[in-house]
PDB file of all heavy atoms in Angstrom:
ATOM      1  N   VAL C 413    -248.965  54.119-113.115  1.00  0.00           N
ATOM      2  CA  VAL C 413    -249.144  54.301-111.673  1.00  0.00           C
ATOM      3  C   VAL C 413    -248.180  55.362-111.160  1.00  0.00           C
ATOM      4  O   VAL C 413    -248.561  56.283-110.416  1.00  0.00           O
ATOM      5  CB  VAL C 413    -248.951  52.973-110.920  1.00  0.00           C
ATOM      6  CG1 VAL C 413    -248.837  53.220-109.409  1.00  0.00           C
ATOM      7  CG2 VAL C 413    -250.105  52.017-111.204  1.00  0.00           C
ATOM      8  N   LEU C 414    -246.918  55.251-111.556  1.00  0.00           N
ATOM      9  CA  LEU C 414    -245.919  56.202-111.062  1.00  0.00           C
ATOM     10  C   LEU C 414    -246.195  57.617-111.565  1.00  0.00           C
ATOM     11  O   LEU C 414    -246.115  58.586-110.806  1.00  0.00           O
ATOM     12  CB  LEU C 414    -244.521  55.746-111.488  1.00  0.00           C
ATOM     13  CG  LEU C 414    -244.045  54.426-110.864  1.00  0.00           C
ATOM     14  CD1 LEU C 414    -242.694  54.019-111.446  1.00  0.00           C
ATOM     15  CD2 LEU C 414    -243.965  54.535-109.357  1.00  0.00           C
ATOM     16  N   GLU C 415    -246.538  57.744-112.845  1.00  0.00           N
ATOM     17  CA  GLU C 415    -246.794  59.073-113.399  1.00  0.00           C
ATOM     18  C   GLU C 415    -248.017  59.724-112.759  1.00  0.00           C
ATOM     19  O   GLU C 415    -247.988  60.903-112.391  1.00  0.00           O
ATOM     20  CB  GLU C 415    -246.994  58.988-114.910  1.00  0.00           C
ATOM     21  CG  GLU C 415    -247.280  60.335-115.555  1.00  0.00           C
ATOM     22  CD  GLU C 415    -247.603  60.230-117.029  1.00  0.00           C
ATOM     23  OE1 GLU C 415    -247.056  59.325-117.697  1.00  0.00           O
ATOM     24  OE2 GLU C 415    -248.405  61.054-117.512  1.00  0.00           O
ATOM     25  N   LEU C 416    -249.113  58.950-112.614  1.00  0.00           N
ATOM     26  CA  LEU C 416    -250.339  59.540-112.086  1.00  0.00           C
ATOM     27  C   LEU C 416    -250.263  59.756-110.577  1.00  0.00           C
ATOM     28  O   LEU C 416    -250.886  60.685-110.057  1.00  0.00           O
ATOM     29  CB  LEU C 416    -251.538  58.672-112.461  1.00  0.00           C
ATOM     30  CG  LEU C 416    -251.825  58.629-113.967  1.00  0.00           C
ATOM     31  CD1 LEU C 416    -252.995  57.716-114.274  1.00  0.00           C
ATOM     32  CD2 LEU C 416    -252.092  60.027-114.516  1.00  0.00           C
ATOM     33  N   ALA C 417    -249.520  58.932-109.869  1.00  0.00           N
ATOM     34  CA  ALA C 417    -249.274  59.213-108.452  1.00  0.00           C
ATOM     35  C   ALA C 417    -248.554  60.553-108.319  1.00  0.00           C
ATOM     36  O   ALA C 417    -248.866  61.373-107.442  1.00  0.00           O
ATOM     37  CB  ALA C 417    -248.454  58.097-107.820  1.00  0.00           C
ATOM     38  N   ASP C 418    -247.612  60.788-109.218  1.00  0.00           N
ATOM     39  CA  ASP C 418    -246.832  62.027-109.218  1.00  0.00           C
ATOM     40  C   ASP C 418    -247.709  63.232-109.560  1.00  0.00           C
ATOM     41  O   ASP C 418    -247.800  64.191-108.778  1.00  0.00           O
ATOM     42  CB  ASP C 418    -245.709  61.868-110.249  1.00  0.00           C
ATOM     43  CG  ASP C 418    -244.748  63.050-110.273  1.00  0.00           C
ATOM     44  OD1 ASP C 418    -244.915  63.991-109.479  1.00  0.00           O
ATOM     45  OD2 ASP C 418    -243.819  63.031-111.096  1.00  0.00           O
ATOM     46  N   THR C 419    -248.399  63.173-110.693  1.00  0.00           N
ATOM     47  CA  THR C 419    -249.136  64.350-111.161  1.00  0.00           C
ATOM     48  C   THR C 419    -250.404  64.630-110.368  1.00  0.00           C
ATOM     49  O   THR C 419    -250.896  65.761-110.359  1.00  0.00           O
ATOM     50  CB  THR C 419    -249.498  64.198-112.650  1.00  0.00           C
ATOM     51  OG1 THR C 419    -250.283  63.005-112.833  1.00  0.00           O
ATOM     52  CG2 THR C 419    -248.235  64.099-113.504  1.00  0.00           C
ATOM     53  N   SER C 420    -250.945  63.617-109.673  1.00  0.00           N
ATOM     54  CA  SER C 420    -252.170  63.816-108.892  1.00  0.00           C
ATOM     55  C   SER C 420    -251.892  64.169-107.443  1.00  0.00           C
ATOM     56  O   SER C 420    -252.831  64.280-106.652  1.00  0.00           O
ATOM     57  CB  SER C 420    -253.025  62.542-108.935  1.00  0.00           C
ATOM     58  OG  SER C 420    -252.422  61.505-108.168  1.00  0.00           O
ATOM     59  N   ASP C 421    -250.617  64.343-107.072  1.00  0.00           N
ATOM     60  CA  ASP C 421    -250.241  64.596-105.674  1.00  0.00           C
ATOM     61  C   ASP C 421    -250.692  63.443-104.782  1.00  0.00           C
ATOM     62  O   ASP C 421    -251.213  63.633-103.698  1.00  0.00           O
ATOM     63  CB  ASP C 421    -250.823  65.930-105.193  1.00  0.00           C
ATOM     64  CG  ASP C 421    -250.231  66.388-103.864  1.00  0.00           C
ATOM     65  OD1 ASP C 421    -249.132  65.919-103.513  1.00  0.00           O
ATOM     66  OD2 ASP C 421    -250.878  67.189-103.169  1.00  0.00           O
ATOM     67  N   PHE C 422    -250.461  62.217-105.278  1.00  0.00           N
ATOM     68  CA  PHE C 422    -250.773  60.993-104.532  1.00  0.00           C
ATOM     69  C   PHE C 422    -252.254  60.964-104.135  1.00  0.00           C
ATOM     70  O   PHE C 422    -252.609  60.825-102.965  1.00  0.00           O
ATOM     71  CB  PHE C 422    -249.866  60.847-103.308  1.00  0.00           C
ATOM     72  CG  PHE C 422    -248.401  60.889-103.651  1.00  0.00           C
ATOM     73  CD1 PHE C 422    -247.668  62.047-103.486  1.00  0.00           C
ATOM     74  CD2 PHE C 422    -247.778  59.781-104.189  1.00  0.00           C
ATOM     75  CE1 PHE C 422    -246.322  62.105-103.838  1.00  0.00           C
ATOM     76  CE2 PHE C 422    -246.426  59.820-104.545  1.00  0.00           C
ATOM     77  CZ  PHE C 422    -245.702  60.985-104.365  1.00  0.00           C
ATOM     78  N   ALA C 423    -253.088  61.082-105.152  1.00  0.00           N
ATOM     79  CA  ALA C 423    -254.535  61.139-104.925  1.00  0.00           C
ATOM     80  C   ALA C 423    -255.076  59.798-104.449  1.00  0.00           C
ATOM     81  O   ALA C 423    -254.513  58.734-104.711  1.00  0.00           O
ATOM     82  CB  ALA C 423    -255.250  61.544-106.212  1.00  0.00           C
ATOM     83  N   GLU C 424    -256.202  59.872-103.765  1.00  0.00           N
ATOM     84  CA  GLU C 424    -256.909  58.675-103.318  1.00  0.00           C
ATOM     85  C   GLU C 424    -257.336  57.838-104.525  1.00  0.00           C
ATOM     86  O   GLU C 424    -257.171  56.621-104.555  1.00  0.00           O
ATOM     87  CB  GLU C 424    -258.130  59.091-102.498  1.00  0.00           C
ATOM     88  CG  GLU C 424    -258.918  57.959-101.899  1.00  0.00           C
ATOM     89  CD  GLU C 424    -260.112  58.455-101.095  1.00  0.00           C
ATOM     90  OE1 GLU C 424    -260.331  59.686-101.020  1.00  0.00           O
ATOM     91  OE2 GLU C 424    -260.842  57.602-100.549  1.00  0.00           O
ATOM     92  N   TYR C 425    -257.894  58.486-105.539  1.00  0.00           N
ATOM     93  CA  TYR C 425    -258.261  57.825-106.785  1.00  0.00           C
ATOM     94  C   TYR C 425    -258.300  58.872-107.883  1.00  0.00           C
ATOM     95  O   TYR C 425    -258.213  60.078-107.604  1.00  0.00           O
ATOM     96  CB  TYR C 425    -259.597  57.085-106.674  1.00  0.00           C
ATOM     97  CG  TYR C 425    -260.767  57.872-106.123  1.00  0.00           C
ATOM     98  CD1 TYR C 425    -261.733  58.416-106.961  1.00  0.00           C
ATOM     99  CD2 TYR C 425    -260.933  58.050-104.749  1.00  0.00           C
ATOM    100  CE1 TYR C 425    -262.823  59.117-106.457  1.00  0.00           C
ATOM    101  CE2 TYR C 425    -262.015  58.750-104.235  1.00  0.00           C
ATOM    102  CZ  TYR C 425    -262.958  59.287-105.094  1.00  0.00           C
ATOM    103  OH  TYR C 425    -264.035  59.984-104.606  1.00  0.00           O
ATOM    104  N   VAL C 426    -258.409  58.428-109.141  1.00  0.00           N
ATOM    105  CA  VAL C 426    -258.326  59.362-110.261  1.00  0.00           C
ATOM    106  C   VAL C 426    -259.363  59.015-111.324  1.00  0.00           C
ATOM    107  O   VAL C 426    -259.845  57.882-111.400  1.00  0.00           O
ATOM    108  CB  VAL C 426    -256.918  59.361-110.914  1.00  0.00           C
ATOM    109  CG1 VAL C 426    -255.855  59.839-109.937  1.00  0.00           C
ATOM    110  CG2 VAL C 426    -256.564  57.983-111.464  1.00  0.00           C
ATOM    111  N   ASP C 427    -259.680  60.004-112.142  1.00  0.00           N
ATOM    112  CA  ASP C 427    -260.496  59.783-113.326  1.00  0.00           C
ATOM    113  C   ASP C 427    -259.752  58.794-114.225  1.00  0.00           C
ATOM    114  O   ASP C 427    -258.584  59.011-114.556  1.00  0.00           O
ATOM    115  CB  ASP C 427    -260.681  61.126-114.045  1.00  0.00           C
ATOM    116  CG  ASP C 427    -261.574  61.053-115.269  1.00  0.00           C
ATOM    117  OD1 ASP C 427    -261.339  60.174-116.129  1.00  0.00           O
ATOM    118  OD2 ASP C 427    -262.493  61.884-115.399  1.00  0.00           O
ATOM    119  N   PRO C 428    -260.397  57.687-114.629  1.00  0.00           N
ATOM    120  CA  PRO C 428    -259.666  56.667-115.384  1.00  0.00           C
ATOM    121  C   PRO C 428    -259.248  57.117-116.782  1.00  0.00           C
ATOM    122  O   PRO C 428    -258.341  56.523-117.368  1.00  0.00           O
ATOM    123  CB  PRO C 428    -260.671  55.511-115.463  1.00  0.00           C
ATOM    124  CG  PRO C 428    -262.007  56.160-115.372  1.00  0.00           C
ATOM    125  CD  PRO C 428    -261.816  57.329-114.445  1.00  0.00           C
ATOM    126  N   TYR C 429    -259.903  58.142-117.314  1.00  0.00           N
ATOM    127  CA  TYR C 429    -259.554  58.640-118.639  1.00  0.00           C
ATOM    128  C   TYR C 429    -258.479  59.717-118.589  1.00  0.00           C
ATOM    129  O   TYR C 429    -257.519  59.689-119.349  1.00  0.00           O
ATOM    130  CB  TYR C 429    -260.807  59.216-119.327  1.00  0.00           C
ATOM    131  CG  TYR C 429    -261.843  58.194-119.708  1.00  0.00           C
ATOM    132  CD1 TYR C 429    -263.117  58.240-119.141  1.00  0.00           C
ATOM    133  CD2 TYR C 429    -261.568  57.190-120.627  1.00  0.00           C
ATOM    134  CE1 TYR C 429    -264.088  57.314-119.492  1.00  0.00           C
ATOM    135  CE2 TYR C 429    -262.529  56.253-120.982  1.00  0.00           C
ATOM    136  CZ  TYR C 429    -263.795  56.317-120.419  1.00  0.00           C
ATOM    137  OH  TYR C 429    -264.753  55.396-120.762  1.00  0.00           O
ATOM    138  N   THR C 430    -258.632  60.679-117.698  1.00  0.00           N
ATOM    139  CA  THR C 430    -257.757  61.855-117.691  1.00  0.00           C
ATOM    140  C   THR C 430    -256.682  61.820-116.617  1.00  0.00           C
ATOM    141  O   THR C 430    -255.706  62.576-116.691  1.00  0.00           O
ATOM    142  CB  THR C 430    -258.590  63.128-117.485  1.00  0.00           C
ATOM    143  OG1 THR C 430    -259.147  63.116-116.149  1.00  0.00           O
ATOM    144  CG2 THR C 430    -259.720  63.209-118.503  1.00  0.00           C
ATOM    145  N   GLY C 431    -256.862  60.988-115.581  1.00  0.00           N
ATOM    146  CA  GLY C 431    -255.935  60.995-114.456  1.00  0.00           C
ATOM    147  C   GLY C 431    -256.175  62.125-113.481  1.00  0.00           C
ATOM    148  O   GLY C 431    -255.383  62.329-112.551  1.00  0.00           O
ATOM    149  N   GLU C 432    -257.274  62.869-113.647  1.00  0.00           N
ATOM    150  CA  GLU C 432    -257.608  63.954-112.719  1.00  0.00           C
ATOM    151  C   GLU C 432    -257.777  63.413-111.301  1.00  0.00           C
ATOM    152  O   GLU C 432    -258.422  62.396-111.087  1.00  0.00           O
ATOM    153  CB  GLU C 432    -258.903  64.629-113.168  1.00  0.00           C
ATOM    154  CG  GLU C 432    -259.417  65.704-112.220  1.00  0.00           C
ATOM    155  CD  GLU C 432    -260.833  66.151-112.559  1.00  0.00           C
ATOM    156  OE1 GLU C 432    -261.348  65.756-113.627  1.00  0.00           O
ATOM    157  OE2 GLU C 432    -261.420  66.888-111.739  1.00  0.00           O
TER     158      GLU C 432
END
Side-chain angles (χ1 to χ4, degrees):
V413 168
L414 294 175
E415 179 185 328
L416 294 178
D418 185 2
T419 58
S420 71
D421 192 21
F422 305 99
E424 183 180 1
Y425 51 101
V426 297
D427 183 309
Y429 291 118
T430 67
E432 175 191 351

